[in-house]
Amino acid sequence: MSISTLLVLSALASAPAVADAPRHQLSLYVRSGGTVYLSPARTQGGLGGGLGLRDTVDGRWLLQADANALTGLGSAFAVRLGAGVQRQGWWSPAVLVNLTGVFGDKLDFLTPEHPVAIAGPALGLGVTVAPARFMLGSAQVSLLEFGVGVGTDSPGLGLLYGLTLLEVGVAL
């Protein structure tokens, strides 16, 4: 090996590592899509959009909260709290566990098991998969996120479905 090759290799070996992701990176995001809660006692949700805040910890762990205005089955409002993990890099698919509350107008079904309408929001615990998420500098773009969860309308269970068509965020 020549001396110049050794000097180059030595410089590369002693070069500082690529800067780590910031400990906490807050992002503001907007989303469009739908959320629907279906059970034998009620149907609630619709299509719309929302606004959220996300904290990315160490470039990998996600903590987020968003609020969404929905229409279609009346006027409803969905609030999601989530935590999950993402792949680091420009292609950053993610998986999140969400607790979702759906408030507002609903269709009630009176049955022998539910002789009166259920009061309060529909609550569901579920998983959201975001396979098409991309980091573009300080911006994040996600296409077609899919979510499914379960809730209880005692007695019985409800299913919570979510579909995000587009989510766009920017680091603060």
Side-chain angles (χ1 to χ4, degrees):
M1 270 190 208
S2 69
I3 293 180
S4 61
T5 304
L6 287 174
L7 288 173
V8 169
L9 290 175
S10 174
L12 289 174
S14 63
V18 174
D20 291 330
R23 176 81 176 126
H24 289 276
Q25 178 63 62
L26 291 178
S27 301
L28 189 62
Y29 63 93
V30 294
R31 60 185 299 268
S32 66
T35 300
V36 66
Y37 182 85
L38 305 169
S39 79
R42 63 179 156 182
T43 296
Q44 196 168 12
L47 298 173
L51 181 66
L53 182 66
R54 177 180 299 121
D55 184 11
T56 305
V57 181
D58 294 332
R60 176 170 301 274
W61 307 103
L62 303 173
L63 302 169
Q64 65 184 39
D66 56 53
N68 304 273
L70 305 171
T71 188
L73 297 172
S75 181
F77 186 70
V79 176
R80 293 188 318 165
L81 300 174
V85 63
Q86 73 175 358
R87 179 183 180 276
Q88 292 178 317
W90 70 273
W91 176 55
S92 54
V95 176
L96 296 110
V97 175
N98 295 308
L99 177 63
T100 304
V102 184
F103 304 82
D105 294 341
K106 60 186 174 185
L107 297 174
D108 289 310
F109 307 108
L110 302 181
T111 65
E113 294 82 23
H114 297 281
V116 296
I118 295 176
L123 294 175
L125 182 64
V127 175
T128 298
V129 178
R133 285 183 83 239
F134 303 95
M135 305 299 263
L136 308 166
S138 65
Q140 306 107 30
V141 176
S142 184
L143 305 168
L144 292 177
E145 297 178 4
F146 306 97
V148 65
V150 294
T152 180
D153 282 343
S154 187
L157 293 177
L159 293 175
L160 179 70
Y161 297 102
L163 173 66
T164 301
L165 299 175
L166 177 64
E167 181 180 287
V168 178
V170 64
L172 300 176

